[in-house]
Amino acid sequence: MQKTSSRLLALLSLLQTRRHRSGWSDSAGRPDWSGDELAERLAVTPRTVRRDIGRLRELGYPVTTVKGPAGGYRLDAGTRVPPLLFDDDQAVALAVALHTAAEGTAVAEDAARALTVLGQVLPSRLRHRIDVLRGTVAAPARGAGTTAPDPRTVWELSRAVHAREQLRFDHAGEPGTAATAPRRVEPHHLATRHGRWYLVAWDLDRADWRIFRVDRIRPRTPTGPRFVPRELPARNVSDFLTGRLRGTDGTTPDWPCRGEAVLGRPAAEVAPFAGDGLVEELGPDRCRLTTGSWSWTALAAALGRFDTTIEGVGPAELRTACARLATRYAAAANGGAGADAGSRAGAD
């Protein structure tokens, strides 16, 4: 039998769960549980349930006894907000909703304070899910035909990529085309381009590399066995995606200056602001951004706007531009005149 404290939490969680069985919910939709049902779910006697209901009432939870043939219990609204229980999915959804509300809504300040409180007690295992959900929910559409993927799908694919587990999923083709058989793949990389998420994977049935639009993927469970990653037939994920997708996803011609850097932020946070760049997920709090600009200086300045650590910068021209900007910004912070004006001609 569970300890009393654990059992009380389990009982409270059940009472908070909405019941949909006909004849049990009142007009306000509040759930009722019979004593026998609660006893069965908790593996205790109805007498123990009655004692635990009394303890919850002493703690301030307004549990009402419902009259009827078998009797029942309902958690009503009270005069104050008691402690609440949330499962993992509910906690993630609440955090994403609060983050959205904290950005420019009428309750922004209160939402931000509530998000801070939630973040203090949130288990670390949920934080990556929140980063992915928050980024995909907030990401704006990039051009006609762009469809936001299911955030849960993004998270499931990301987990499989990092766990190196084979995936099975249904993949919808272009509108009007027949559905294909379930795909079996070794997922290698999850990346975004022009605001659209892609999965780069080795197709086991076709024995070749494939790129799948994440908004068309419906994962199947369970995942398959672990695999040893194959070598991608390109210098990096950016080159592979650019080569395969050029001209098929509304891309613009290459910029005269293109480079990459590893940023200390989740891919989902960087993707909505990456423009026509490609964002490759490297971990819960790291991603590689490959993008371009009209000059190396402009590209170096663009990296700074993410306000995070910057590593793995390349090529050499981009590293030089970063060093030049660092010198100028340091001089500006000290009230100086900035970098040597004579170097401007070669800056870009």
Side-chain angles (χ1 to χ4, degrees), residues 128 158 162 265-267 280-287:
H128 178 49
S158 174
H162 293 291
R265 284 192 180 276
E280 175 192 351
E281 183 184 73
L282 300 180
D285 299 305
R286 297 174 72 245
C287 67

Side-chain angles (χ1 to χ4, degrees), residues 2-345:
Q2 293 176 302
K3 293 182 178 179
T4 301
S5 57
S6 299
R7 195 175 63 246
L8 285 177
L9 291 175
L11 174 59
L12 179 59
S13 180
L14 288 174
L15 291 172
Q16 289 179 171
T17 303
R18 187 173 296 278
R19 301 278 282 164
H20 295 287
R21 197 175 75 186
S22 176
W24 277 98
S25 292
D26 66 359
S27 59
R30 289 176 291 219
D32 296 337
W33 288 85
S34 72
D36 290 340
E37 287 175 318
L38 290 173
E40 181 180 355
R41 294 291 292 269
L42 298 172
V44 296
T45 65
R47 181 180 178 182
T48 299
V49 170
R50 289 193 294 273
R51 287 202 304 264
D52 288 347
I53 290 293
R55 292 189 179 99
L56 288 179
R57 287 169 176 161
E58 292 174 358
L59 293 173
Y61 293 95
V63 183
T64 299
T65 300
V66 180
K67 303 295 184 180
Y73 300 98
R74 173 190 307 150
L75 184 62
D76 284 331
T79 58
R80 61 186 179 88
V81 180
L84 302 177
L85 292 178
F86 299 101
D87 59 30
D88 285 3
D89 290 339
Q90 291 173 329
V92 170
L94 179 60
V96 173
L98 287 171
H99 184 273
T100 302
E103 296 184 347
T105 67
V107 294
E109 183 177 349
D110 291 335
R113 291 193 296 112
L115 185 60
T116 299
V117 173
L118 182 61
Q120 291 172 346
V121 298
L122 203 63
S124 59
R125 69 177 184 274
L126 300 181
R127 288 172 186 163
H128 178 49
R129 289 180 58 184
I130 290 173
D131 289 336
V132 173
L133 281 163
R134 187 173 62 197
T136 53
V137 169
R142 300 283 184 179
T146 299
T147 302
D150 180 357
R152 184 182 295 275
T153 298
V154 176
W155 177 80
E156 290 177 359
L157 297 182
S158 174
R159 192 203 61 78
V161 167
H162 293 291
R164 299 303 185 192
E165 294 176 348
Q166 292 182 8
L167 274 175
R168 295 183 307 126
F169 57 81
D170 298 306
H171 186 259
E174 295 290 343
T177 61
T180 61
R183 312 298 284 264
R184 296 187 312 120
V185 305
E186 296 175 350
H188 281 254
H189 298 279
L190 192 63
T192 68
R193 179 179 171 86
H194 290 271
R196 179 175 286 160
W197 287 83
Y198 294 98
L199 175 69
V200 177
W202 175 263
D203 193 312
L204 293 166
D205 295 319
R206 293 160 177 77
D208 194 11
W209 290 96
R210 291 290 189 270
I211 298 173
F212 302 94
R213 277 180 44 176
V214 173
D215 61 295
R216 295 178 177 175
I217 289 177
R218 297 295 178 268
R220 293 192 174 199
T221 56
T223 53
R226 295 174 64 87
F227 63 90
V228 177
R230 303 170 189 264
E231 185 176 351
L232 195 68
R235 184 176 63 90
N236 52 41
V237 178
S238 175
D239 288 352
F240 181 77
L241 276 175
T242 300
R244 294 288 184 99
L245 298 177
R246 188 183 302 279
T248 65
D249 64 346
T251 60
T252 56
D254 278 346
W255 290 99
C257 301
R258 294 193 66 84
E260 64 179 39
V262 175
L263 304 177
R265 284 192 180 276
E269 289 187 5
V270 174
F273 310 101
D276 62 351
L278 183 142
V279 183
E280 175 192 351
E281 183 184 73
L282 300 180
D285 299 305
R286 297 174 72 245
C287 67
R288 178 180 289 108
L289 171 63
T290 303
T291 186
S293 187
W294 57 274
S295 73
W296 293 114
T297 302
L299 185 54
L303 297 178
R305 66 194 176 103
F306 292 101
D307 190 24
T308 187
T309 57
I310 305 174
E311 305 173 283
V313 177
E317 293 86 347
L318 181 55
R319 291 194 295 272
T320 300
C322 287
R324 183 182 299 112
L325 279 182
T327 300
R328 291 175 179 172
Y329 289 150
N334 293 326
D340 183 4
S343 68
R344 294 177 182 170

